[in-house]
Amino acid sequence: MLNFSFQNPTKIVFGEGEISKLESLIPQGKRVLLTYGGGSIKQNGVYEQVVKALNGSDFIEFGGIEANPGYETLIKAVALVKQENIDFLLAVGGGSVIDGTKFIAAAAKVDDDPWGILTGKVKVTDALPLGAVLTLPATGSESNGNSVVTRRETQEKLPFSSPLVYPAFAILDPTTTYSLPMRQVSNGIVDAFVHVMEQYLTYPVNAPVQDGFSETLLKTLISEGPKALQNPEAYDIRANIMWAATMALNGLIGQGVPQDWATHMIGHELTALHGMDHAQTLAVLLPSVMAYKKESKRQKLIQYAENVWGLAGSDDDKIDGAILKTRQFFESLSVPTRLSDYQVGAGHIDALVAQLQAHGMVKLGERQDITIDDSRQILEMSL
Amino acid sequence: MLNFSFQNPTKIVFGEGEISKLESLIPQGKRVLLTYGGGSIKQNGVYEQVVKALNGSDFIEFGGIEANPGYETLIKAVALVKQENIDFLLAVGGGSVIDGTKFIAAAAKVDDDPWGILTGKVKVTDALPLGAVLTLPATGSESNGNSVVTRRETQEKLPFSSPLVYPAFAILDPTTTYSLPMRQVSNGIVDAFVHVMEQYLTYPVNAPVQDGFSETLLKTLISEGPKALQNPEAYDIRANIMWAATMALNGLIGQGVPQDWATHMIGHELTALHGMDHAQTLAVLLPSVMAYKKESKRQKLIQYAENVWGLAGSDDDKIDGAILKTRQFFESLSVPTRLSDYQVGAGHIDALVAQLQAHGMVKLGERQDITIDDSRQILEMSL
């Protein structure tokens, strides 16, 4: 096991009806900015529950945070926060709303150009406190310090991390996910699955606790995912997916083990240039990364094949079988796994590779050995 | 899954050499009381590492906190804290030192009789901050808000819990455990194992994440425990046991599922009246609780038999096999599993039952259906 340092301060409040506890979770006397996305919370009853639970607290709203939250949108919220003396942010939505709200929280405390937070030029040393009401299990953003923001003007999608932007609390009510479009449910399952894989499918360091936790999450998503599509209002299924997705990226399973994240980094460029859903990029790229790095991931691929998919046979059979099973799992959730399914062709690869280069993504993977040329080959394998 | 609320603020700093980070973990300008046990830390080099890492910080010492930390000892530390204007506690040791230090932290802020913290008469509303350097993986105290204190004068062993006594940080360096006596290593493995069982072996609520995490911890302890006794200085083995023991009782695996704790509550009386090691009481009682509650725990017993021990056969065979395997596992660690092994006989049961009654332990278990008479029968089965 590798040395590590781990702290996750977010309070998780989980279960049906728990939105009613909002008032007690927000520190008294705060002026709150309620942030949300396209407005689905106004149709599915979540907005009503939130406003009722705020119980007359002082709040204003900022809606319209889009999927892959837009820098151009978020800086408007930053201006509003400063103008209205907001001192608490309440994100109600999925990972995009929460990621965007983390950026607002950090940018509100910065005098320089806030874009520097994403390019690394501005260090985050302070942030507004925030809480979250999660309505879409996927990114784990409700219980971590990560955020990814997209600047449409320059077609850039960049992440930042800070312990200062962990939500103080996250309310996870599985019933808020009943009305999600199936595409979002599927995407969320793929996203959580790949988060686990990025922290699991590397090389062994004798860490059975971490490996067993990761395998548990993968098996839960494999078992519960298809059921959620068939029975959208089955509480336990939704609850298990929601809890698995949070555990997939709250930091715990990745402690003391190597981490990959090549799939994510290459995927961000596909979203930025081609507008593919984040999960779609992962479903396309992960099988290619697995196949391309078959040798350096060999031991963990065999373990994954045995423990997650129950495969037998020769080691090579297990590895090929596990990659195929992974692809089939994504396809079974109606998330296609080829670039051609998204109208991305060989002619687009040069531009994608150029963006990776521009963003310094030149040494990816758990061994930092995926070069620009390797990323090109991974993209070519994904056509 | 049941509704839950979960927050664990402790920062875990894990790995060889990490004690050197102490100075940066303790807030600047604090006057520190360094608490420890019988003095083994002065022989095995841990004390030296801690003092070096404190790097000239202002601290005084309080040693001599015994196994099953004694109320009579701890109130002396409370007096010292008040007299010396201590404002940070640093516990260096195992669960007893950390439990005791939590009591000191709470009692230092109380004007009434501090015994009331343990009887429930005094509510904990404030506590000194504390940190921990763990040297004995077992109780999980390094990352939870629980404490158990023993008053030898009245032969009482009572717990208290408060979110205010979570350690701010816990340093877990597996090499500090190399020099432990084998009895303490064995006890620690049994203790962690039973902590998982108290949160796992109840009744199913469709919670595959929690179940899978628990099964991972149980399998890790089963696999690594005996190896630790054979190769005391094998780093990875010690690291895996240490991490498993922390995860066993940092609150996570018990969220959203029923919990039992009957074995612990009955066991506390055996320690208080007969001086049995905590883990010895658990090793004796758990197999009896499993057998006595065979019907109400039936489904989870079968799951445990299959997933943890890989047993096949009829359901009844699996259940009986799993109970036997559990007993054999404890015995394989040289922890005997019968009261007669500890010179406790049938003639002692009346007094034990009277203490359970006196402490209000009249409705135990995940269904609150273990009455005083049931506890008597469990004790009789354990002779």
Side-chain angles (χ1 to χ4, degrees), chain A residues 1 3-9 11-16 18 206 208-209 212-213 216 235-236 239-240 247 252, chain B residues 1 3-9 11-16 18 206 208-209 212-213 216 235-236 239-240 247 252:
Chain A
M1 202 190 303
N3 284 15
F4 66 85
S5 176
F6 175 61
Q7 184 172 37
N8 187 326
K11 179 174 199 161
I12 303 288
V13 181
F14 191 101
E16 182 168 9
E18 297 290 334
N206 194 350
V209 172
F213 282 15
T216 294
Y235 181 82
D236 275 345
N240 289 325
M247 290 303 310
L252 181 73
Chain B
M1 201 189 306
N3 284 17
F4 66 84
S5 176
F6 175 61
Q7 184 172 37
N8 187 325
K11 179 174 198 162
I12 302 289
V13 182
F14 192 102
E16 181 167 10
E18 297 290 335
N206 194 350
V209 172
F213 282 14
T216 293
Y235 180 82
D236 275 345
N240 289 325
M247 291 302 311
L252 180 73

Side-chain angles (χ1 to χ4, degrees), chain A residues 179-201:
Chain A
S179 59
L180 285 171
M182 283 303 134
R183 174 167 160 181
Q184 290 193 24
V185 177
S186 290
N187 278 349
I189 295 162
V190 170
D191 195 19
F193 190 92
V194 181
H195 289 159
V196 180
M197 292 293 270
E198 299 272 31
Q199 300 166 85
Y200 166 75
L201 198 79

Side-chain angles (χ1 to χ4, degrees), chain B residues 215-230:
Chain B
E215 289 162 3
T216 293
L217 297 176
L218 295 172
K219 286 190 283 187
T220 299
L221 293 166
I222 290 166
S223 142
E224 305 293 290
K227 289 186 216 163
L229 300 182
Q230 282 153 27

Side-chain angles (χ1 to χ4, degrees), chain A residues 316-331:
Chain A
D316 286 328
D317 285 350
K318 286 180 198 160
I319 291 171
D320 293 339
I323 297 171
L324 182 63
K325 285 278 189 190
T326 306
R327 186 183 294 281
Q328 288 172 340
F329 173 58
F330 299 154
E331 298 271 357

Side-chain angles (χ1 to χ4, degrees), chain B residues 35-293:
Chain B
T35 58
Y36 57 94
S40 62
I41 62 163
K42 295 206 171 172
Q43 279 125 47
N44 62 15
V46 172
Y47 176 84
E48 228 168 20
Q49 284 185 67
V50 166
V51 171
K52 188 176 169 207
L54 284 172
N55 193 24
S57 297
D58 181 20
F59 78 95
I60 59 172
E61 298 180 21
F62 182 86
I65 298 176
E66 61 275 68
N68 302 304
Y71 178 75
E72 295 83 352
T73 304
L74 301 173
I75 50 174
K76 289 179 198 157
V78 174
L80 185 67
V81 162
K82 290 181 174 176
Q83 178 192 315
E84 296 280 344
N85 295 315
I86 295 294
D87 52 10
F88 194 91
L89 305 177
L90 177 63
V92 182
S96 292
V97 172
I98 303 171
D99 275 18
T101 303
K102 289 175 179 175
F103 179 78
I104 299 167
K109 296 286 189 175
V110 159
D111 292 323
D112 300 328
D113 179 4
W115 182 245
I117 293 170
L118 296 157
T119 59
K121 278 182 193 151
V122 173
K123 199 172 143 56
V124 177
T125 56
D126 195 7
L128 284 178
L130 69 144
V133 176
L134 183 68
T135 60
L136 170 53
T139 70
S141 185
E142 65 279 7
S143 180
N144 66 39
N146 307 328
S147 165
V148 186
V149 171
T150 297
R151 190 167 192 168
R152 283 170 173 73
E153 184 193 353
T154 52
Q155 292 187 304
E156 287 173 292
K157 181 172 180 178
L158 294 175
F160 85 99
S161 292
S162 166
L164 295 165
V165 297
Y166 274 78
F169 63 82
I171 300 178
L172 279 60
D173 178 343
T175 68
T176 64
T177 72
Y178 288 171
S179 59
L180 285 171
M182 282 303 136
R183 174 167 159 182
Q184 291 192 23
V185 177
S186 291
N187 278 349
I189 295 162
V190 170
D191 195 18
F193 190 91
V194 181
H195 289 159
V196 181
M197 292 292 270
E198 299 273 29
Q199 300 166 86
Y200 167 74
L201 199 79
T202 58
Y203 53 86
V205 294
N206 194 350
V209 172
Q210 292 90 325
D211 283 359
F213 282 14
S214 289
E215 289 162 3
T216 293
L217 297 176
L218 295 172
K219 286 190 283 187
T220 299
L221 293 166
I222 290 166
S223 142
E224 305 293 290
K227 289 186 216 163
L229 300 182
Q230 282 153 27
N231 309 298
E233 305 207 355
Y235 180 82
D236 275 345
I237 294 165
R238 294 296 189 145
N240 289 325
I241 292 173
M242 204 167 203
W243 191 221
T246 295
M247 291 302 311
L249 201 53
N250 68 358
L252 180 73
I253 61 168
Q255 297 306 319
V257 297
Q259 303 196 17
D260 182 341
W261 299 104
T263 295
H264 269 73
M265 294 304 123
I266 305 173
H268 285 341
E269 307 301 349
L270 281 166
T271 299
L273 290 191
H274 297 280
M276 284 172 62
D277 294 350
H278 175 56
Q280 293 171 338
T281 73
L282 306 177
V284 166
L285 290 166
L286 180 69
S288 300
V289 171
M290 292 166 82
Y292 188 74
K293 299 302 288 180

